């Protein structure tokens, strides 16, 4: 007997989360065991409010799957919803909706919080409605999910960040004056994204010259010394800063000390980049801060093709896992050792993933830089197409 | 008798100014009448300090011309140098360098200020050293040079801006909450760049919903009303703001009223986007500001191919004009009327260009929006390749 499926997206947008949705829908459309394919609007909220769309109707034209695959951010919409299993009103609403709609397959695409939801729901259904398969599909630009080599969304954000840092550096080289440019990069706890800026480096680019990660406590005196040494050496300096940079007490530097107020008296939160910029300005440098902001997570025009392909396959594999009877798992990627980059897709038990965070390994960090272990890890993720080569006039460089 | 040439870059970087340099060097290498090809480092300063590079040596390998053509920002370096003809010390230094190096051809790539330099130098040499040909090659992302349909650099910046605005809007659609996102765009006097954000619009994108240009005075009460109406209608709203937005008194809104101070007591300049954001926050909206910052002028990964090609040709045409004996002119582009986009390159007398600025024609602006005359003008400039189609779940849109 055919069962229906439901799929939802949750957490922050990425450039390829729709590719995972597209992969899952495509695979579901190929299956004889799946009846209706529901999309829940705005994460779990769609189920709680009975606001779903019929994706079988939506994707009558297969070329639309391809369009969806290439669209950044979240076509179904997202929520920042923390499922509370103690709230019986809510859990019963979900249970009732799943029963009423004859759901046999439940897919949730997201990051850490979303995998917590997958964990809770798979336990809950195992008890209340055995037979409902609940599968997590990984998605986070932060790359902080356990038990997977990396997460879909990360590589595209990294590609955008590296490309932008290289272009920012190339821009600042236009002038013959010492300048310090701070690039503020997403990542509240793990520094994967800020670190990925080093992929800008090459024969044609020495930036970023310093990298400030949440994994390494920030100290103002140290920073002043590190920056002075670097500007003395490089003159034109680019500093990558994670928004999650913290001091030795574990407090975000961006939240500490005096905050400014706007003309209406509202506190104006400043970012970690601006915080460091103020110190550099106090040291007498000409400074600027560039926040990569929303663009780093939704830059569909600059995705890693590898990332998009992997996100799509994760969606397909999730449907296959559910059809094989699995539940309470997340689709994960394992990198096969060897010279050639190859990924094996597998299912990982959700309890080993939810509520944990993967940081950059300590041995991959060296002072305010990362090691070649990090760059070796990143290289195939950024994508085959190299960042365009930026020509430098050799006569100018010799000067 | 062979004469040598010198070429320099000046003003702000763009994604295609090196394409103009590449075009000029390529054409010069093909000529039998040109001896050495000097590049002046950091604009005119290179000549004043005798810091030049030999571009004939530099480009022994023709594939390097192609690399230079694809590199954003300024390979020779730039200056913000205002030539003062009253300063005889300087003018004589330039004259001496030009004589000593047997220069017959002098090329300056830049915007308004640079064309002022071309104007002054061509008059000066006509008097002091007749026979030296001085030619301007247009470059400015601001698109504010007179007597040319548009300027190399503008179309690529416009393409990046439109792409980014579309991706920002797609990102903000992920959540089911009213939000106002301000995108601050370059342009101190003319609103061409901020207006170009409308090229984001299409079947798949309604943003930007409001466009604030320097050409239309800003009034806070009007803004509050315009914004309220728009958020009531759109819910998720994106506002494009020119950094050069001014009030009725002609003052930049970003410079007016209270400025914040950092923890060291330095004034923190806020941008026009942040200024409008503060008002929107005061109205109770959830807000964010994204500054496109340096990236909009140096995003080599997102250029308009049309722009790059035109910039290259402008470089070639400048050398041809000089070889034909012209001086005191800038290479300009004229759009040939007709359905197909075609450009005719011509020389325009520099006195009609320097120290003037081209604004968006009044009749192309309508309230906080631009007319179809503007979008018709922009369409071929952005490039043939369309912005990728962003898929919208129709069931979600109907909700």
């Amino acid at each position: 007997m055919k069962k229906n499926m439901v799929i939802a997206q949750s957490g922050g947008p990425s450039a390829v989360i729709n590719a995972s949705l597209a992969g899952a829908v495509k695979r579901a459309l190929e299956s004889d065991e799946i009846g209706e394919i529901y999309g829940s609007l705005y994460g779990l909220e769609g189920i709680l409010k009975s606001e779903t769309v019929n994706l079988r109707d939506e994707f009558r034209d297969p070329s639309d799957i391809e369009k969806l695959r290439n669209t950044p951010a979240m076509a179904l919409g997202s929520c920042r919803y923390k499922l509370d299993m103690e709230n019986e009103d809510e859990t019963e609403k979900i249970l009732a909706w799943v029963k009423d709609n004859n759901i046999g397959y439940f897919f949730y695409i997201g990051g850490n919080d979303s995998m917590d939801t997958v964990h809770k729901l798979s336990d809950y259904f195992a008890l209340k409605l055995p037979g409902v398969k609940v599968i997590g599909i990984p998605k986070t630009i932060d790359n902080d999910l356990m038990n997977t080599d990396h997460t879909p969304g990360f590589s595209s954000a990294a590609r955008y960040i590296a490309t932008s840092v290289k272009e920012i550096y190339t821009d600042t080289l236009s002038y013959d004056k010492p300048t310090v440019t701070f690039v503020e990069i997403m990542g509240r706890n793990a520094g994967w994204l800020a670190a990925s800026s080093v992929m800008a480096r090459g024969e044609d680019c020495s930036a970023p010259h310093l990298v400030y990660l949440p994994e390494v406590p920030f100290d103002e005196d140290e920073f002043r010394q590190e920056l002075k040494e670097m500007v003395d050496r490089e003159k034109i300096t680019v500093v990558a800063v994670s928004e999650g940079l913290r001091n030795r007490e574990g407090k975000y530097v961006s939240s500490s000390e005096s905050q400014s107020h706007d003309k209406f008296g509202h506190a104006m939160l400043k970012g970690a980049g601006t915080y460091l910029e103020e110190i550099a300005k106090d040291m007498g440098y000409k400074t600027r801060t560039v926040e990569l902001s929303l663009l780093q997570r939704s830059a569909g025009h600059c995705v890693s093709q590898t990332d998009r392909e992997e996100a799509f396959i994760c969606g397909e594999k999730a449907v296959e896992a559910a059809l094989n009877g699995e539940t309470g798992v997340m689709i994960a990627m394992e990198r096969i050792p060897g010279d050639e980059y190859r990924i094996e897709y597998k299912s990982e038990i959700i309890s080993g993933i939810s509520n944990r965070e993967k940081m950059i390994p300590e041995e991959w960090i060296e002072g305010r830089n990362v090691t070649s272990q990090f760059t070796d890890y990143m290289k195939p993720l950024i994508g085959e197409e190299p960042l365009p080569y930026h020509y430098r006039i050799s006569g100018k460089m010799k000067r």
Side-chain angles (χ1 to χ4, degrees), chain A:
Chain A
M1 199 193 68
K2 278 190 187 184
K3 286 277 185 183
N4 299 329
M5 85 171 235
V6 65
I7 187 163
Q9 297 175 316
S10 181
S14 92
V16 300
I17 179 170
N18 286 334
S20 291
L21 176 62
V25 171
K26 179 190 159 260
R27 187 65 190 79
L29 287 170
E30 290 164 1
S31 163
D32 294 332
E33 299 167 60
I34 294 173
E36 293 303 338
I37 305 170
Y38 297 112
S40 173
L41 295 179
Y42 303 105
L44 265 193
E45 286 182 9
I47 291 174
L48 288 166
K49 298 179 185 169
S50 288
E51 293 185 338
T52 57
V53 288
N54 187 320
L55 297 175
R56 200 177 272 284
D57 286 353
E58 184 81 25
F59 292 102
R60 286 237 169 84
D61 178 352
S63 79
D64 284 341
I65 295 254
E66 188 58 24
K67 282 181 189 163
L68 174 65
R69 186 179 180 274
N70 297 330
T71 299
M74 300 160 98
L76 287 173
S78 179
C79 63
R80 294 275 187 195
Y81 187 80
K82 188 90 181 159
L83 180 63
D84 175 8
M85 300 310 286
E86 308 286 299
N87 184 339
E88 284 183 21
D89 198 42
E90 266 178 23
T91 53
E92 279 169 16
K93 242 186 209 164
I94 295 172
L95 185 65
W97 187 89
V98 165
K99 270 187 189 163
D100 292 351
N101 289 282
N102 191 31
I103 300 296
Y105 313 100
F106 194 118
F107 302 97
Y108 213 54
I109 318 176
N112 297 64
D113 287 343
S114 313
M115 292 310 134
D116 180 60
T117 300
V118 169
H119 191 180
K120 286 169 177 166
L121 285 182
S122 57
D123 285 357
Y124 181 72
F125 285 123
L127 196 72
K128 297 280 187 172
L129 201 61
V132 177
K133 313 299 174 202
V134 186
I135 312 272
I137 303 173
K139 175 280 327 172
T140 169
I141 62 166
D142 292 333
N143 198 35
D144 59 353
L145 284 172
M146 298 296 292
N147 301 346
T148 183
D149 180 76
H150 58 281
T151 57
F154 168 60
S155 312
S156 292
R159 183 178 177 80
Y160 178 84
I161 290 164
T163 304
S164 296
V165 165
K166 186 167 174 178
E167 288 173 348
I168 287 167
Y169 180 57
T170 306
D171 186 283
T172 56
L173 282 181
S174 299
Y175 296 101
D176 189 26
K177 287 179 200 128
T179 52
V180 186
T181 305
F182 295 91
V183 184
E184 185 179 309
I185 298 165
M186 283 183 171
R188 291 302 277 174
N189 297 312
W192 294 102
L193 287 174
S196 72
S197 61
V198 305
M199 302 311 288
R201 291 187 195 142
E203 210 188 323
D204 57 347
C205 177
S206 59
H209 306 101
L210 292 164
V211 182
Y212 289 87
L213 304 170
E215 282 88 347
V216 186
F218 176 81
D219 177 276
E220 185 173 325
D221 292 335
E222 273 172 29
F223 167 69
R224 285 176 180 258
Q225 197 180 325
E226 289 155 358
L227 186 63
K228 190 184 175 311
E229 278 169 21
M230 193 53 78
V231 181
D232 285 350
R233 192 187 89 190
E234 288 287 332
K235 202 161 97 161
I236 289 164
T237 305
V238 173
V239 180
V241 188
S242 173
E243 62 170 354
L245 188 65
R246 270 171 275 203
N247 62 22
R248 291 197 196 282
E249 288 75 50
K251 275 192 191 152
Y252 291 119
V253 301
S254 52
S255 68
S256 62
E257 303 192 39
S258 66
Q259 282 294 347
S260 313
H261 290 78
D262 69 19
K263 64 171 185 159
F264 303 106
H266 308 132
M268 289 170 67
L269 287 174
K270 61 185 148 213
T274 308
Y275 184 86
L276 266 59
E277 184 189 3
E278 287 179 12
I279 299 169
K281 211 186 280 172
D282 188 57
M283 293 169 71
Y285 295 124
K286 193 168 151 36
T287 61
R288 193 192 279 258
T289 296
V290 181
E291 283 180 51
L292 296 186
S293 192
L294 301 182
L295 291 163
Q296 66 199 293
R297 70 184 189 196
S298 293
H301 76 279
C302 192
V303 299
S304 151
Q305 297 301 333
T306 304
D307 190 26
R308 189 177 267 163
E309 182 66 20
E310 289 174 349
F312 188 84
I313 296 173
C314 283
E316 291 180 306
K317 294 289 180 188
V319 172
E320 282 167 22
L323 292 173
N324 287 337
E326 294 181 45
T327 187
V329 297
M330 182 190 84
I331 302 303
M333 292 186 274
E334 189 175 328
R335 197 186 295 219
I336 310 300
D339 287 343
E340 200 195 341
Y341 173 73
R342 276 187 310 141
I343 284 297
E344 196 172 284
Y345 296 83
K346 53 181 189 164
S347 300
E348 281 285 333
I349 303 294
I350 198 75
S351 60
I353 295 169
S354 61
N355 296 311
R356 295 173 64 193
E357 278 179 313
K358 189 174 71 175
M359 302 297 164
I360 304 178
E362 241 176 72
E363 63 274 22
W364 290 15
I365 303 175
E366 207 173 80
R368 299 304 178 178
N369 199 355
V370 287
T371 68
S372 63
Q373 289 160 293
F374 181 86
T375 51
D376 289 348
Y377 166 81
M378 288 302 300
K379 223 169 196 170
L381 307 186
I382 292 279
E384 286 180 29
E385 220 179 306
L387 300 174
Y389 181 86
H390 289 190
Y391 188 78
R392 304 255 172 271
I393 300 263
S394 56
K396 182 181 165 199
M397 301 309 281
K398 276 182 222 127
R399 191 169 158 262

